Amino acid sequence: MKSRMLALLTCLFMAMPVAQAVPPIQQAGLSNGLTVLLMEAHNVPMVSMNLGLPSGSVFDPKGKGGTAMLLAGMLTDHTAAHDHVSWADLLDQDAIQLGASASKDSLDISLTVLKEVLNPGLDALSEVLLQPGWRAKRFAIMKQDTLAAAQKEREEPGVRAAEAAAELLFGEHPYGHRSEGSMQSLAAIGLDDIKALFAGQVKPKGAVLAVSGDITMDELLPLLEARLAAWQGTPKQTLADIPQPKAVSGLSRDVDMPTTQTMVQLTRLGLARSDAAFFPAFVLNHMLGGGGFGSRLMEEVREKRGLAYGVYSYFSPLAVPGPFLISLQTRADQAVQGEAVVRSVLAEMANGAITRAELKASKENLIGSFAQRMDSNRERVGLISMIGMYGLPLDYLVSWTSRVDAVTLEQVAKQAERFLKPESWSRVRVGAKLQ
Amino acid sequence: MLFRLTSLLLLISCMPVFSAHAGTIQQAEFKNGVKLVVEEDHSAPVAMVQVWLKVGGRDELPGKTGLAHVFEHMMFKGSKQLGPGEYSRRISAMGGNDNAFTSTDYTAYFETVPSARVAEVLAMESERFANLKLRDEDFQKEIRVIMEERRMRTEDDPNSRMFEELSAASLRLHPYRNPVIGWMQDLQKLTIGDVKDFYKSHYVPGNAIVVVVGDVDFEQMKKAVAASFGRLKAQPVAPRFNPVEPEPFGPKRIKVVLPAQLPMLAVTIPVPVWQPGENDREVAALTLATHIMAGGRSARLSREIVDQQRLAFAAGAGYDPSAMGLDLWYAYGMLGPDQKPEAFEKALWALIDDMAVNPVGEKRLNAAKRNIIAANVFAQDSLYLRAKEIGQMEVVGLGAANRDNWLQQIDKVQPEDIQKAVARWLKQERSTTGLLQPEVKS
């Protein structure tokens, strides 16, 4: 056993992750301007797709946060041709998984089907786009249930923190509310708001249909063209119209909740998807708290001090800079210590205390685990959709590992100085008797 | 909602398809009791390695709940050859993400790695399995982390807390009455001595099943396991705690008063789990009945109780036929500000009773069957879910070889089977009802 272990050690040190072959993304366009991106995968007889539209919660009317989310709900609930009962029966009969949701930038309509029912699946998707139903009775029910759900959600510290963090960081900027909306903003939404958002933003030009599965572009295009040719138009606003948010720093907000733990979140603006320094910042975040075990925050907060079960960081690279966030939950009396540890990690890294060994470890993990990011059709559709929505190059996935590998210590240090200065972060706490 | 939230997902992922499986299962057993199950899939140069142990919350002694889960943490704290955190660092360096999960019935450790590195992973896995360093200082830190985990998942989550109480009230003997993470009172008293005792009796080769799905060769895997787990010394395997739960004598009811925004009402009922060849039709019928109530867009709970009767703003139900001994079937309703628990409860039982009395329509039954089959095909898309399906079927004693059998059983179910299964098992006098009641601030 001992000699085996030694042999093992040697080969581990020599090993370098090997870049894996990534199937190419094929691009095509429909006559109505819709972009179609496809990655073929023929190992399972299924097709997954996502229609990404510039109709996320950033386009919610002022004071009416949750409009895009309600639109997503309405679009998949029924159509002009089918009431909600016959629509549900129609979809379930062929096991058609049709869903929709809204995030900050995009409204996404997703479809996953067995290959054998691709045609009825595409029929359903086109019916959603071409014959939306706007039944007032269904809207009233959906609104009432969404309001109740919004009240129920107030039991979750994470929801309360996200709400406060969005307001603190973005203020009047359209990223300043959760996509789900709040009880107050949902109450203000009427059916006309939903219809107006649809009429303005749910258009083929600038939208992206990302597809992964057991199909070729030659098979797919005629099926789409036959169904979607009548869907026409250009959205009123695009992601390029989203204003740049103004940076804030050093703000603080406390939310009172009767919990045993205090949730501490530090937040500041991150970077846009198009930022030239995306890869160095991405690797930096992996080292800071994006990489789970082995990340600085996990090491200092959990492994060394046992202060929290989870501590992590992430940034949302959106059309314009989205939030950069660090979050932990710990017993109320340890919250001050937890925050202090996080701030000292930030200060050290901002001052350039990052080693080559750390960088190497992060890069190895990111590169080696790349294949896992593409483990299923639905995960691939998510990546392809993101590439389409933000206009990233089609070889983005092919070159991903080499771009991570090319990140240097100097680049990472520069991003650490740019993002991690402790004074540039604001704070949200959720818990009982905060002081 | 959070109560065994994954039950339906598990059902989807753990139960097989007729022909949708991408590969065939190959198995080998080693002299010391270790088992290897491989499904080759050469579509990408990666492999999912999962080590499943027949050890879970059910194997804990009274007063020592949470121990099985403590291991999930301690396994990353170092062994004879690997320093604390070293295991994770090694896996990370080869691009793997290592992780683990614990349930009442099993503990599993898993990592995805480039397929060329599987033998190394198995060598490391078996080394830590055999030579875990259980240091008190690591334990003291880790038990604090686990208490934070419990605070986060349960203490500060009213729904989750209600379901914990409800499970405990529902069962008298069966270990599903205890939370896997452990009662806080037990966590506060666990010692490194308890941890060492548990390790000695349960982390033995006869409890280990190695599952590999991906771009590997079965013959090479046999060699790799022979050189790693296969070398461990055989040790006696303790029988698992799987008591027969006494039949309920009548309905039970609890109320949990917590700082919550809105009430929730949930009902649990002990029901049988799948024993291939023994109760195929009944368990498949119960699976379909649950799907008809809670699955897909046409789910009866949503359609009738939420949409038509307006007695809840969300409702669901769940059943895991691959649990061990029994499953705690459940249904719940989330209640809005003007919705009354009593009215929801009445409507729930009216719906269940209707399913026992009136046959389900052919169209609805076929749609339910089709959705269960499709979900299985979709699950074949992920190496993680495929390995998990195999591991779970093995560890609870169903046997991965049985996976192709399940959907054949689903397909055979007739409307009268559903009526019979619902009438026999989903009875009010066998149920426990729990109400989460928001605390009124004075």
Side-chain angles (χ1 to χ4, degrees), chain A residues 301-302 305-309 329-330 334 337-338 341, chain B residues 144 148:
Chain A
V301 176
R302 172 169 164 166
R305 297 178 177 83
L307 286 174
Y309 172 66
Q329 279 158 283
T330 187
Q334 302 177 143
Q337 190 194 354
V341 173
Chain B
R144 290 178 63 203
E148 292 299 341

Side-chain angles (χ1 to χ4, degrees), chain A residues 9 76 92 144 260-261 377, chain B residues 90 148 156 298 310 381:
Chain A
L9 282 177
T76 45
D92 278 359
Q144 196 178 28
T260 62
Q261 285 186 323
N377 280 302
Chain B
R90 296 273 181 82
E148 292 299 341
D156 288 344
S298 52
R310 303 295 296 140
D381 195 21

Side-chain angles (χ1 to χ4, degrees), chain B residues 183-358:
Chain B
W183 298 102
M184 191 62 104
Q185 291 78 355
D186 286 353
L187 295 180
Q188 282 159 349
K189 290 202 166 161
L190 290 181
T191 65
I192 188 69
D194 296 325
V195 174
K196 286 180 176 165
D197 290 346
F198 195 84
Y199 179 62
K200 272 190 211 127
S201 35
H202 296 292
Y203 277 60
V204 296
N207 275 338
I209 300 158
V210 176
V211 180
V212 185
V213 178
D215 186 22
V216 295
D217 172 70
F218 178 59
E219 292 305 321
Q220 287 184 359
M221 283 303 103
K222 272 204 289 196
K223 284 181 200 152
V225 173
S228 55
F229 280 93
R231 288 192 175 190
L232 306 178
K233 194 169 160 252
Q235 286 175 65
V237 179
R240 305 202 69 186
F241 183 54
N242 197 13
V244 177
E245 175 71 16
E247 261 302 292
F249 294 122
K252 290 185 276 192
R253 187 171 288 277
I254 64 161
K255 188 188 279 184
V256 175
V257 183
L258 285 171
Q261 291 281 333
L262 289 169
M264 172 184 60
L265 185 125
V267 171
T268 59
I269 309 172
V271 296
V273 290
W274 192 30
Q275 296 168 278
E278 304 272 323
N279 61 0
D280 304 324
R281 190 63 72 97
E282 184 167 60
V283 165
L286 209 48
T287 301
L288 280 160
T290 309
H291 189 90
I292 288 164
M293 274 185 239
R297 280 188 174 261
S298 52
R300 289 191 66 180
L301 285 168
S302 306
R303 178 173 288 182
E304 294 168 37
I305 299 184
V306 176
D307 284 349
Q308 281 169 16
Q309 303 165 28
R310 303 295 296 140
L311 297 174
F313 72 84
Y319 168 47
D320 179 4
S322 61
M324 212 174 152
L326 58 78
D327 187 46
L328 210 46
W329 185 95
Y330 70 93
Y332 68 85
M334 311 291 267
L335 306 168
D338 302 318
Q339 293 166 330
K340 298 279 169 272
E342 301 76 21
F344 170 78
E345 192 181 344
K346 209 174 145 193
L348 174 64
W349 284 110
L351 195 155
I352 292 173
D353 291 344
D354 178 71
M355 291 196 60
V357 174
N358 295 311

Side-chain angles (χ1 to χ4, degrees), chain B residues 16-17 274 276-277 280 401-410:
Chain B
V17 196
W274 192 30
D280 304 324
N402 246 317
R403 65 179 188 170
D404 288 334
N405 185 357
W406 174 248
L407 285 197
Q408 291 165 13
Q409 301 305 333
I410 289 284

Side-chain angles (χ1 to χ4, degrees), chain A residues 293-314:
Chain A
F293 288 104
S295 71
R296 283 271 186 111
L297 291 173
M298 198 69 140
E299 199 60 33
E300 296 298 324
V301 176
R302 172 169 164 166
E303 297 298 284
K304 286 195 187 154
R305 297 178 177 83
L307 286 174
Y309 172 66
V311 53
Y312 60 85
S313 68
Y314 73 83

Side-chain angles (χ1 to χ4, degrees), chain A residues 348-400:
Chain A
E348 283 165 22
M349 291 182 80
N351 287 331
I354 301 167
T355 65
R356 265 178 219 288
E358 267 182 296
L359 175 63
K360 181 167 170 278
S362 274
K363 280 158 65 169
E364 280 174 352
N365 182 246
L366 285 167
I367 292 168
S369 60
F370 179 69
Q372 205 182 326
R373 287 170 190 264
M374 311 227 308
D375 181 39
S376 68
N377 280 302
R378 278 171 278 197
E379 284 180 51
R380 286 190 291 273
V381 162
L383 291 168
I384 302 165
S385 187
M386 182 270 293
I387 288 168
M389 285 306 285
Y390 294 111
L392 302 178
L394 288 187
D395 71 350
Y396 182 80
L397 297 175
V398 176
S399 64
W400 196 91

